[in-house]
Every structure is written in C-alpha cells, then in structure tokens.
C-alpha cells in the first residue's frame, strides 16, 4: 500500500465516514436524505478539526 500521507488521509476519511454513517443508521430515525446530510456535516474537514480539539488533551504523545 502507498504510505504517502495524503493517501493515508484519504483512506482514513473513508473509514471515518463509514463509522459515522453506521452510527447514524443505528441511532437516528430519519430519512436517508437526512442521514446523508447529517453525515456530510460531520465528516467535513472543519468538523473533524473541531472533534480533534475536543480529544487532543486526552491523547498521549504517540497518539498526537
């Protein structure tokens, strides 16, 4: 597998989106359109940066 940072980030975004979609499907009772719009809001770069700010204090040096 290519270990270029952008390739790894691209793969990571796909994994994260799958986890978000799975969570929404299991926990939200709404239309597929609403699920999609919610997933898009949670998976974009600015939302990911916000989540990182929340968990950053809990990460050890290796995780950072």
């Amino acid at each position: 597998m290519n270990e270029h940072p952008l390739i790894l980030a691209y793969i990571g975004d796909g994994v994260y989106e799958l986890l978000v979609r799975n969570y929404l499907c299991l926990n939200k009772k709404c239309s597929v359109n609403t699920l999609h719009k919610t997933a898009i809001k949670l998976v974009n770069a600015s939302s990911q940066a916000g989540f990182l700010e929340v968990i950053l204090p809990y990460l050890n040096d290796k995780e950072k």
Side-chain angles (χ1 to χ4, degrees):
M1 182 162 110
N2 188 334
E3 294 186 15
H4 188 280
L6 290 176
I7 298 294
L8 294 175
Y10 180 73
I11 299 289
D13 284 349
V15 171
Y16 181 62
E17 183 171 1
L18 182 58
L19 291 170
V20 167
R21 286 178 178 223
N22 187 56
Y23 173 83
L24 292 174
C25 287
L26 293 173
N27 294 288
K28 303 291 181 188
K29 304 291 185 215
C30 53
S31 70
V32 172
N33 185 43
T34 301
L35 289 171
H36 174 70
K37 288 179 180 180
T38 304
I40 295 298
K41 289 178 186 176
L42 294 173
V43 178
N44 68 48
S46 61
S47 291
Q48 289 184 37
F51 295 142
L52 177 62
E53 291 296 320
V54 171
I55 68 167
L56 201 55
Y58 301 100
L59 300 177
N60 63 40
D61 288 337
K62 185 177 179 182
E63 292 167 331
K64 290 177 187 175

